[in-house]
mmCIF file of all heavy atoms in Angstrom:
data_model
loop_
_atom_site.group_PDB
_atom_site.id
_atom_site.type_symbol
_atom_site.label_atom_id
_atom_site.label_comp_id
_atom_site.label_asym_id
_atom_site.label_seq_id
_atom_site.Cartn_x
_atom_site.Cartn_y
_atom_site.Cartn_z
ATOM 1 N N VAL A 189 61.098 133.172 96.359
ATOM 2 C CA VAL A 189 60.657 134.538 96.615
ATOM 3 C C VAL A 189 61.414 135.131 97.796
ATOM 4 O O VAL A 189 61.724 136.335 97.812
ATOM 5 C CB VAL A 189 59.138 134.573 96.856
ATOM 6 C CG1 VAL A 189 58.665 135.990 97.170
ATOM 7 C CG2 VAL A 189 58.395 134.001 95.655
ATOM 8 N N ALA A 190 61.726 134.316 98.790
ATOM 9 C CA ALA A 190 62.464 134.759 99.982
ATOM 10 C C ALA A 190 63.729 133.926 100.133
ATOM 11 O O ALA A 190 63.834 132.815 99.598
ATOM 12 C CB ALA A 190 61.584 134.637 101.227
ATOM 13 N N THR A 191 64.707 134.469 100.842
ATOM 14 C CA THR A 191 65.989 133.796 101.063
ATOM 15 C C THR A 191 66.003 133.156 102.439
ATOM 16 O O THR A 191 65.682 133.802 103.437
ATOM 17 C CB THR A 191 67.154 134.787 100.939
ATOM 18 O OG1 THR A 191 67.108 135.405 99.650
ATOM 19 C CG2 THR A 191 68.479 134.078 101.111
ATOM 20 N N GLU A 192 66.409 131.892 102.498
ATOM 21 C CA GLU A 192 66.448 131.143 103.749
ATOM 22 C C GLU A 192 67.880 131.044 104.255
ATOM 23 O O GLU A 192 68.817 130.828 103.472
ATOM 24 C CB GLU A 192 65.881 129.740 103.522
ATOM 25 C CG GLU A 192 65.738 128.915 104.775
ATOM 26 C CD GLU A 192 65.134 127.561 104.490
ATOM 27 O OE1 GLU A 192 64.951 127.224 103.302
ATOM 28 O OE2 GLU A 192 64.842 126.829 105.455
ATOM 29 N N LEU A 193 68.053 131.215 105.560
ATOM 30 C CA LEU A 193 69.365 131.093 106.191
ATOM 31 C C LEU A 193 69.527 129.687 106.755
ATOM 32 O O LEU A 193 68.571 129.075 107.225
ATOM 33 C CB LEU A 193 69.527 132.135 107.299
ATOM 34 C CG LEU A 193 69.439 133.598 106.867
ATOM 35 C CD1 LEU A 193 69.610 134.511 108.068
ATOM 36 C CD2 LEU A 193 70.488 133.918 105.805
ATOM 37 N N HIS A 194 70.767 129.186 106.751
ATOM 38 C CA HIS A 194 71.037 127.819 107.192
ATOM 39 C C HIS A 194 72.178 127.822 108.207
ATOM 40 O O HIS A 194 73.084 128.662 108.155
ATOM 41 C CB HIS A 194 71.401 126.922 106.012
ATOM 42 C CG HIS A 194 70.363 126.897 104.933
ATOM 43 N ND1 HIS A 194 69.212 126.158 105.020
ATOM 44 C CD2 HIS A 194 70.310 127.549 103.731
ATOM 45 C CE1 HIS A 194 68.488 126.338 103.928
ATOM 46 N NE2 HIS A 194 69.136 127.175 103.131
ATOM 47 N N GLN A 195 72.144 126.860 109.088
ATOM 48 C CA GLN A 195 73.200 126.659 110.070
ATOM 49 C C GLN A 195 74.105 125.547 109.551
ATOM 50 O O GLN A 195 73.780 124.367 109.657
ATOM 51 C CB GLN A 195 72.601 126.293 111.442
ATOM 52 C CG GLN A 195 73.618 126.179 112.566
ATOM 53 C CD GLN A 195 74.245 127.520 112.914
ATOM 54 O OE1 GLN A 195 73.604 128.560 112.816
ATOM 55 N NE2 GLN A 195 75.509 127.489 113.314
ATOM 56 N N TRP A 196 75.237 125.914 108.979
ATOM 57 C CA TRP A 196 76.110 124.922 108.367
ATOM 58 C C TRP A 196 76.830 124.105 109.428
ATOM 59 O O TRP A 196 77.083 124.567 110.546
ATOM 60 C CB TRP A 196 77.123 125.596 107.446
ATOM 61 C CG TRP A 196 76.502 126.439 106.375
ATOM 62 C CD1 TRP A 196 76.601 127.784 106.234
ATOM 63 C CD2 TRP A 196 75.660 125.988 105.307
ATOM 64 N NE1 TRP A 196 75.890 128.209 105.144
ATOM 65 C CE2 TRP A 196 75.301 127.128 104.556
ATOM 66 C CE3 TRP A 196 75.168 124.747 104.917
ATOM 67 C CZ2 TRP A 196 74.494 127.058 103.426
ATOM 68 C CZ3 TRP A 196 74.357 124.671 103.792
ATOM 69 C CH2 TRP A 196 74.022 125.811 103.064
ATOM 70 N N LEU A 197 77.188 122.896 109.054
ATOM 71 C CA LEU A 197 77.837 121.961 109.965
ATOM 72 C C LEU A 197 79.233 122.453 110.334
ATOM 73 O O LEU A 197 80.002 122.893 109.477
ATOM 74 C CB LEU A 197 77.930 120.577 109.308
ATOM 75 C CG LEU A 197 78.674 119.498 110.089
ATOM 76 C CD1 LEU A 197 77.909 119.120 111.346
ATOM 77 C CD2 LEU A 197 78.881 118.262 109.206
ATOM 78 N N GLU A 198 79.573 122.371 111.608
ATOM 79 C CA GLU A 198 80.912 122.691 112.098
ATOM 80 C C GLU A 198 81.611 121.390 112.498
ATOM 81 O O GLU A 198 81.085 120.612 113.289
ATOM 82 C CB GLU A 198 80.841 123.638 113.307
ATOM 83 C CG GLU A 198 80.265 125.014 112.971
ATOM 84 C CD GLU A 198 80.290 125.945 114.161
ATOM 85 O OE1 GLU A 198 80.820 125.518 115.220
ATOM 86 O OE2 GLU A 198 79.800 127.079 114.039
ATOM 87 N N VAL A 199 82.786 121.171 111.934
ATOM 88 C CA VAL A 199 83.507 119.927 112.183
ATOM 89 C C VAL A 199 84.340 120.051 113.447
ATOM 90 O O VAL A 199 84.792 121.142 113.802
ATOM 91 C CB VAL A 199 84.409 119.574 110.982
ATOM 92 C CG1 VAL A 199 83.574 119.300 109.754
ATOM 93 C CG2 VAL A 199 85.393 120.705 110.703
ATOM 94 N N PRO A 200 84.576 118.948 114.163
ATOM 95 C CA PRO A 200 85.402 119.013 115.378
ATOM 96 C C PRO A 200 86.868 119.244 115.039
ATOM 97 O O PRO A 200 87.310 119.061 113.898
ATOM 98 C CB PRO A 200 85.179 117.634 116.018
ATOM 99 C CG PRO A 200 84.782 116.743 114.886
ATOM 100 C CD PRO A 200 84.020 117.609 113.927
ATOM 101 N N ALA A 201 87.625 119.626 116.031
ATOM 102 C CA ALA A 201 89.047 119.918 115.817
ATOM 103 C C ALA A 201 89.865 118.655 115.624
ATOM 104 O O ALA A 201 90.935 118.696 115.007
ATOM 105 C CB ALA A 201 89.597 120.710 117.009
ATOM 106 N N GLU A 202 89.408 117.505 116.110
ATOM 107 C CA GLU A 202 90.136 116.243 116.003
ATOM 108 C C GLU A 202 89.212 115.190 115.413
ATOM 109 O O GLU A 202 88.009 115.175 115.697
ATOM 110 C CB GLU A 202 90.633 115.791 117.378
ATOM 111 C CG GLU A 202 91.492 114.534 117.357
ATOM 112 C CD GLU A 202 91.952 114.124 118.749
ATOM 113 O OE1 GLU A 202 91.405 114.690 119.714
ATOM 114 O OE2 GLU A 202 92.821 113.251 118.860
ATOM 115 N N PHE A 203 89.781 114.323 114.569
ATOM 116 C CA PHE A 203 88.964 113.288 113.943
ATOM 117 C C PHE A 203 89.175 111.959 114.653
ATOM 118 O O PHE A 203 90.277 111.394 114.647
ATOM 119 C CB PHE A 203 89.312 113.137 112.461
ATOM 120 C CG PHE A 203 88.483 112.071 111.777
ATOM 121 C CD1 PHE A 203 87.224 112.381 111.287
ATOM 122 C CD2 PHE A 203 88.955 110.783 111.648
ATOM 123 C CE1 PHE A 203 86.456 111.411 110.673
ATOM 124 C CE2 PHE A 203 88.200 109.809 111.034
ATOM 125 C CZ PHE A 203 86.941 110.123 110.544
ATOM 126 N N ILE A 204 88.118 111.467 115.279
ATOM 127 C CA ILE A 204 88.065 110.121 115.840
ATOM 128 C C ILE A 204 86.669 109.585 115.538
ATOM 129 O O ILE A 204 85.675 110.135 116.006
ATOM 130 C CB ILE A 204 88.332 110.103 117.356
ATOM 131 C CG1 ILE A 204 89.721 110.653 117.671
ATOM 132 C CG2 ILE A 204 88.193 108.683 117.901
ATOM 133 C CD1 ILE A 204 90.034 110.713 119.154
ATOM 134 N N ALA A 205 86.587 108.543 114.721
ATOM 135 C CA ALA A 205 85.300 107.974 114.321
ATOM 136 C C ALA A 205 85.251 106.503 114.716
ATOM 137 O O ALA A 205 86.264 105.798 114.646
ATOM 138 C CB ALA A 205 85.075 108.133 112.825
#
Side-chain angles (χ1 to χ4, degrees):
V189 178
T191 303
E192 186 178 7
L193 299 180
H194 304 281
Q195 185 67 33
W196 304 115
L197 176 68
E198 295 184 3
V199 296
E202 184 180 12
F203 180 84
I204 299 178

